[in-house]
Amino acid sequence: MTKASDLFIQCLEEEGVEYIFGVPGEENLDMLDSLSRSTAIQLILTRHEQGAGFMAATYGRHTGKAGVCMATLGPGATNLVTAAAYAQLGGMPILMVTGQKPIKKSKQGRFQILDVVDMMKPLTKFTHQLASADNIPSRVREAFRLAEEEKPGATHIEFPEDIAEERTESMPLKRSHARRPNADVKSIRAAVHALEKAKSPILVIGAGANRTMTCRMLNQFIEKTGIPFLTTQLGKGVIDERHPKFVGCAALSAGDFVHRAVEAADLIVNIGHDVIEKPPFFMQPGGAQVIHISSKTAEVDPVYFPQIEVVGDIANAIWQIKQDIVPNGSWSFDAILAARKGQIAHTASISGDARFPIFPPFLVEQVREAMPENGIICLDNGIYKIWFARDYPAYRPNTVLLDNALATMGAGLPSAMASAMVYPDRRVMAICGDGGFMMNSQEMETAVRLKLNLTVLILKDNSYGMIRWKQSNMGLKDWGLTYGNPDFVKYTESYGAFGHRVESAEHLKELLAHTRDTPGVHLIDCPVDYSENDQILNIDINRLSRELQPLSLSPASAESGMPTGSFK
């Protein structure tokens, strides 16, 4: 007979779990005791459950295996809610395990008791309360299976303390080997026929394409056909963005050079599209035809109703299309590639501005120069995310981790910590606003305790800059969004990390190189100048991209900066 908590840990070991991130409570003590005897799984004690959840989700994003996090009942479980949504919307496999009071005999009335399973239902692919030790192997296997299958996401198991004490003869179940179904041959043929007939096709690479095999197949497809491609924010790095057919990343919602490239296409191939992300184009009747290639059917929307759907394993679908297609010698990509040249020219014209506080285009260029080819940047959520998504070229998959799904603040530092654990030989940088950093800054202690090597770049403007920008753009009074900050250098040093303060543009270059090459946890306090955000992102780019090539604009769209056709 095996104790239930021991069996639970054995099941996790069978799934190949390396870490459990979390903040244990009284109701987790049996599981904690069983974990203490595991030689395969390491407990990563964090300072907040949200940080544990973000770390587990990022582990899942990098590895494809469900990251595991632990919390107690009540407030511990509620602190995992944001991480659950982060993983679920972002397509990151995660298993959350929460404790609970005894379910067969109450000891303390309703103290701290919430219906956590019901709370997690809207946020997960699977949630279950264990009511018998005998069912642990099947419920754990099901949680991992669902977390990891397409689209990956969040699962949850509640483990009551009286169940954890039970004895059972059950044994762990082996992992199943499953292959995703291949797309139907007729749908492949329809896609090939549409591509061969098109005059100017374009590829849009989304979050679902960010898988190792898909990257390789897409590279081969682009090399054979020469069709240009752009990415969504969650598709960055699927193909090396130094590729001559790269058009750009849809960082802004509309009016950018990349949107002009989409308008120049008569056929749009959406690869791994997810409606969670802001679409880089909106369909309209009579606009460009759209092919949807994904592991699941399209979620039809008033602005998304693809005419051709290729549903199945994305990598295999791309391979089938590549094998069948005969490149069309009359394809013309001049207008599409001209849009990319326009963006490069505009970025080059402003990125050399070495003012202080630091100008965002200069900042992005310096970070790219400082980071190795396989270096990983992990962005929190703020206005800087647009600058980096748009102007920071990703050379490899999952080297630019940003969240354009839940878009939560507070995830940048934990995400970088998990990245440094998964890839200890690669350089990792968290890029956070002062607001987002302070939401989980306590995890600096965890990073120091784990002896991680990473840099935390704090972009300081003493305000919730993204919302302040939107407030200004709406013509509203600048009010209610500014605050004070601690001395970030002293704050960092109090945790035993290394603190640095940027004093000039040249000093920024020096600090980026120093922190990259020096072991340990480093924080760089970098003042930024966001004063031209509105002028550049909302006005200049829109005007320059419209001037780039002749576009048919109706009076209404000209006023709003939104061209007519297949997108807004």
Side-chain angles (χ1 to χ4, degrees):
M1 297 288 281
T2 303
K3 185 179 177 182
S5 59
D6 289 341
L7 174 61
F8 193 92
I9 296 300
Q10 290 168 17
C11 290
L12 297 185
E13 291 173 337
E14 190 64 44
E15 297 289 343
V17 173
E18 299 178 276
Y19 306 107
I20 297 178
F21 307 91
V23 182
E26 176 185 343
E27 290 71 28
N28 305 116
L29 288 177
D30 283 298
M31 181 177 166
L32 195 67
D33 181 62
S34 298
L35 179 59
S36 71
R37 292 186 289 277
S38 174
T39 58
I41 304 175
Q42 182 181 351
L43 173 68
I44 305 298
L45 191 67
T46 61
R47 304 307 301 267
H48 194 284
E49 293 86 355
Q50 192 179 94
F54 290 149
M55 292 182 75
T58 302
Y59 174 92
R61 181 173 183 172
H62 278 304
T63 66
K65 301 188 299 182
V68 180
C69 57
M70 169 201 291
T72 190
L73 82 172
T78 59
N79 279 346
L80 283 179
V81 164
T82 301
Y86 174 74
Q88 182 74 350
L89 270 64
M92 307 175 221
I94 183 176
L95 168 62
M96 301 170 288
V97 183
T98 60
Q100 187 54 276
K101 297 292 185 187
I103 58 174
K104 296 182 179 180
K105 185 177 180 181
S106 173
K107 296 191 300 183
Q108 295 179 301
R110 301 296 298 174
F111 176 65
Q112 285 193 311
I113 294 179
L114 299 169
D115 190 336
V116 176
V117 172
D118 248 14
M119 179 181 75
M120 289 294 186
K121 276 181 182 176
L123 302 172
T124 59
K125 300 174 73 176
F126 170 85
T127 178
H128 179 78
Q129 181 191 70
L130 291 171
S132 169
D134 295 339
N135 292 336
I136 288 174
S138 61
R139 296 303 88 192
V140 171
R141 177 82 280 274
E142 180 74 347
F144 275 86
R145 183 186 71 82
L146 289 171
E148 294 171 359
E149 77 173 13
E150 293 290 339
K151 175 186 173 184
T155 59
H156 166 251
I157 290 177
E158 183 174 80
F159 199 5
E161 57 180 317
D162 54 344
I163 305 302
E165 296 172 347
E166 287 184 355
R167 300 280 168 172
T168 178
E169 294 182 350
S170 292
M171 301 288 288
L173 296 175
K174 298 289 184 183
R175 286 178 64 89
S176 57
H177 295 278
R179 287 183 58 83
R180 292 185 288 274
N182 291 336
D184 175 68
V185 174
K186 290 184 178 179
S187 68
I188 295 291
R189 188 61 213 151
V192 169
H193 182 64
L195 278 162
E196 291 176 344
K197 282 178 55 183
K199 295 178 181 179
S200 186
I202 194 170
L203 310 179
V204 179
I205 300 174
N210 202 354
R211 309 286 184 269
T212 302
M213 187 60 70
T214 309
C215 298
R216 185 162 46 160
M217 290 299 105
L218 272 169
N219 260 309
Q220 294 178 12
F221 177 79
I222 293 167
E223 289 303 316
K224 178 177 180 179
T225 63
I227 299 175
F229 67 95
L230 65 116
T231 74
T232 65
Q233 292 185 43
L234 289 174
K236 275 188 73 66
V238 171
I239 306 293
D240 189 331
E241 293 176 4
R242 292 169 295 189
H243 196 288
K245 299 297 183 180
F246 176 61
V247 176
C249 173
L252 293 169
S253 298
D256 202 348
F257 293 95
V258 70
H259 299 105
R260 308 305 179 197
V262 175
E263 188 185 48
D266 67 333
L267 176 66
I268 301 166
V269 184
N270 241 12
I271 304 167
H273 172 72
D274 195 317
V275 294
I276 295 299
E277 289 201 83
K278 291 181 180 179
F281 66 91
F282 291 160
M283 294 182 66
Q284 294 180 357
Q289 191 175 31
V290 173
I291 300 174
H292 173 91
I293 303 176
S294 187
S295 57
K296 61 178 184 177
T297 58
E299 296 182 44
V300 177
D301 186 271
V303 294
Y304 192 65
F305 41 90
Q307 291 88 354
I308 299 172
E309 295 192 48
V310 181
V311 181
D313 179 75
I314 298 173
N316 183 269
I318 297 298
W319 176 81
Q320 288 188 70
I321 294 171
K322 182 202 74 173
Q323 293 295 99
D324 196 16
I325 195 169
V326 177
N328 184 339
S330 64
W331 282 336
S332 174
F333 304 124
D334 291 347
I336 292 174
L337 297 177
R340 177 59 178 167
K341 291 178 183 177
Q343 177 177 337
I344 291 172
H346 174 251
T347 298
S349 73
I350 59 176
S351 59
D353 188 333
R355 73 179 69 172
F356 186 81
I358 304 298
F359 192 42
F362 179 85
L363 172 80
V364 173
E365 184 176 80
Q366 296 309 311
V367 173
R368 178 65 277 181
E369 288 184 6
M371 292 299 285
E373 187 158 314
N374 68 349
I376 301 169
I377 62 170
C378 303
L379 288 99
D380 210 281
N381 200 61
I383 186 62
Y384 49 87
K385 186 178 76 170
I386 293 176
W387 287 105
F388 275 90
R390 188 177 181 276
D391 296 326
Y392 182 97
Y395 301 155
R396 299 190 186 182
N398 284 324
T399 54
V400 178
L401 300 193
L402 51 76
D403 170 24
N404 195 40
L406 182 66
T408 179
M409 298 173 71
L413 173 58
S415 180
M417 291 164 60
S419 298
M421 293 175 68
V422 174
Y423 298 110
D425 297 328
R426 293 164 67 174
R427 300 311 304 165
V428 177
M429 180 185 295
I431 301 174
C432 311
D434 42 13
F437 172 72
M438 289 302 292
M439 289 189 177
N440 272 310
S441 65
Q442 70 281 347
E443 299 305 341
M444 290 289 284
E445 188 279 327
T446 309
V448 171
R449 177 167 24 96
L450 294 174
K451 296 181 170 60
L452 299 179
N453 295 316
L454 62 90
T455 298
V456 184
L457 178 61
I458 305 298
L459 308 181
K460 184 173 68 177
D461 69 331
N462 300 302
S463 70
Y464 292 116
M466 171 75 86
I467 311 306
R468 198 178 181 192
W469 171 50
K470 296 290 180 74
Q471 187 180 56
S472 173
N473 187 241
M474 292 171 65
L476 301 175
K477 180 182 177 182
D478 183 4
W479 188 84
L481 295 169
T482 59
Y483 45 71
N485 276 307
D487 183 323
F488 285 122
V489 172
K490 291 181 180 178
Y491 182 70
T492 299
E493 291 172 347
S494 72
Y495 284 118
F498 302 99
H500 313 271
R501 184 174 289 108
V502 176
E503 296 176 354
S504 68
E506 189 61 35
H507 191 215
L508 171 64
K509 294 183 185 182
E510 296 171 9
L511 288 178
L512 289 173
H514 171 74
T515 58
R516 177 197 62 207
D517 298 335
T518 308
V521 179
H522 296 264
L523 181 143
I524 300 174
D525 177 349
C526 180
V528 289
D529 180 357
Y530 285 147
S531 62
E532 294 187 45
N533 277 347
D534 191 57
Q535 179 65 38
I536 296 172
L537 297 177
N538 287 339
I539 300 171
D540 292 352
I541 288 172
N542 195 307
R543 175 181 56 80
L544 291 168
S545 66
R546 277 189 290 148
E547 292 173 353
L548 184 68
Q549 55 189 5
L551 295 172
S552 175
L553 294 176
S554 69
S557 63
E559 289 174 9
S560 64
M562 293 183 177
T564 59
S566 61
F567 75 101
K568 294 181 184 174

